[in-house]
Amino acid sequence: MKQYIVLLRGINVGGQKKVPMADLRQILAEAKFEEVRTYIQSGNVILKTNLNDSKSVSAKVAHVIKNHFGFEVEVLSKTREELEEIFTNCPFPQEQKEKSYFMMLFEAPNKELVLDVSKISFPNEAFIIKSECIYMYSGIGYGKSKLNNNFFERKLKISATARNYNTMQKLLSLSAD
């Protein structure tokens, strides 16, 4: 069995797409995923499966959610090693890294759009776009930042799901064997 960290995009935000974590754990276990655990209400799941690749895991989780809750959710699955590589490769110094957001991308962004977006800057904010993740630091806090998940999704015409430093660290800790 292989372990995956599964990230759900846009659930339990603003009263939309409500997914109780206890229900999510139950339906995933019924779908033959094993050792299903969740972390906080924003859609972080650690599970084990016989499926051999991230895309298959994401597709099955999305299908199970759609069948049970009646709405579609974008799902991104990573192995612990993949998530750890994203976390470790954060280009910011440790002090900024601890206040950073990791916007994991569902697909690699178009290079021309990345060039256009890379020209944008705001005071006390920084970002670096890689093929799997946008690393974003805001000295004014995420809530006040002009650079957020929606900003990058609009500008790059892709889907992403954001997690902060603490959540990334906790997911890696929980998934350690």
Side-chain angles (χ1 to χ4, degrees):
M1 296 221 107
K2 194 170 182 180
Q3 179 175 253
Y4 289 91
I5 299 165
V6 179
L7 308 171
L8 309 180
R9 182 187 172 279
I11 65 158
N12 299 334
V13 179
Q16 296 183 5
K17 295 187 177 181
K18 290 201 175 232
V19 178
M21 294 298 104
D23 292 354
L24 180 61
R25 287 190 299 274
Q26 180 180 342
I27 65 170
L28 291 175
E30 289 169 359
K32 306 295 185 227
F33 289 108
E34 295 189 15
E35 298 180 35
V36 179
R37 295 175 285 159
T38 57
Y39 174 67
I40 62 177
Q41 298 298 310
S42 58
N44 304 294
V45 182
I46 299 166
L47 52 74
K48 288 189 177 178
T49 180
N50 286 324
L51 296 174
N52 291 324
D53 64 90
S54 297
K55 288 194 185 297
S56 297
V57 174
S58 294
K60 185 172 179 180
V61 170
H63 178 76
V64 169
I65 291 171
K66 170 88 167 130
N67 282 350
H68 184 80
F69 294 104
F71 51 79
E72 293 183 5
V73 172
E74 289 183 275
V75 179
L76 184 67
S77 300
K78 298 282 185 191
T79 64
R80 183 184 194 287
E81 295 77 21
E82 290 169 333
L83 197 71
E84 186 171 41
E85 186 175 328
I86 288 170
F87 184 71
T88 302
N89 288 336
C90 181
F92 300 123
Q94 188 63 30
E95 184 179 316
Q96 287 182 338
K97 181 177 180 177
E98 292 175 6
K99 296 177 182 173
S100 290
Y101 281 79
F102 300 76
M103 296 171 197
M104 279 140 309
L105 306 175
F106 285 76
E107 62 188 72
N110 174 289
K111 291 179 182 178
E112 289 178 24
L113 294 176
V114 169
L115 287 174
D116 289 344
V117 172
S118 295
K119 296 173 187 171
I120 298 170
S121 69
F122 297 105
N124 300 311
E125 298 184 75
F127 65 92
I128 295 173
I129 302 170
K130 301 287 186 179
S131 63
E132 289 192 345
C133 183
I134 300 168
Y135 299 95
M136 193 276 292
Y137 165 76
S138 176
I140 59 174
Y142 189 79
K144 295 178 183 176
S145 177
K146 294 182 193 296
L147 301 172
N148 58 36
N149 204 60
N150 291 335
F151 170 86
F152 288 109
E153 285 183 326
R154 263 192 330 274
K155 296 289 186 184
L156 297 173
K157 298 179 171 93
I158 56 171
S159 290
T161 186
R163 300 298 186 273
N164 67 21
Y165 173 88
N166 291 333
T167 297
M168 292 286 285
Q169 195 172 45
K170 186 67 174 183
L171 290 172
L172 290 168
S173 171
L174 291 171
S175 63
D177 286 327

